[in-house]
Amino acid sequence: MDEQKKLEHQIELATRAAALVRDETTGHRFRSFAGELRRKLRRMMRRGQVRARAYELWEQAGRPGNRELEFWLEAERQIEEEREEKKGGGGS
């Protein structure tokens, strides 16, 4: 099972457990755990997006050597900019 599927499964289990337990403290802990897992999953997926974009930028630039950080940072910037545009555009 790949890491993404594993995290999705753990989120599902923690969410179900939170809904089933009667003790509010335990339910809160399960919900908090599910939230932490969701954040980890988003970071992991974002890292994959950045990796793919950086590779694309590197190829477009003719595959130069010793500029990995430059392409990674540019990919992060572009993806963050797109995310902010979506966030801003969705609220209008």
Side-chain angles (χ1 to χ4, degrees):
M1 183 181 291
D2 70 344
E3 189 69 18
Q4 180 178 345
K5 296 284 185 203
K6 188 185 298 186
L7 284 171
E8 290 170 348
H9 182 66
Q10 289 174 337
I11 291 166
E12 182 181 342
L13 291 176
T15 302
R16 282 186 193 174
L20 293 174
V21 297
R22 293 179 187 264
D23 178 58
E24 185 55 38
T25 301
T26 303
H28 177 72
R29 287 181 179 165
F30 275 123
R31 285 188 296 277
S32 293
F33 181 58
E36 289 174 29
L37 292 173
R38 281 187 197 93
R39 287 186 292 279
K40 181 177 180 178
L41 180 60
R42 280 193 300 267
R43 284 191 309 269
M44 187 180 79
M45 292 174 72
R46 182 169 181 258
R47 199 171 319 131
Q49 290 173 323
V50 171
R51 184 180 302 115
R53 178 71 57 87
Y55 184 80
E56 184 180 299
L57 293 170
W58 173 73
E59 281 194 322
Q60 289 172 358
R63 299 179 174 192
N66 299 323
R67 291 176 51 197
E68 296 87 0
L69 182 59
E70 176 186 338
F71 294 115
W72 185 271
L73 294 174
E74 177 59 21
E76 282 184 329
R77 188 195 64 73
Q78 288 180 8
I79 288 172
E80 183 62 27
E81 186 177 279
E82 290 168 5
R83 192 174 77 83
E84 290 297 321
E85 286 175 6
K86 285 180 186 175
K87 202 184 330 180
S92 297

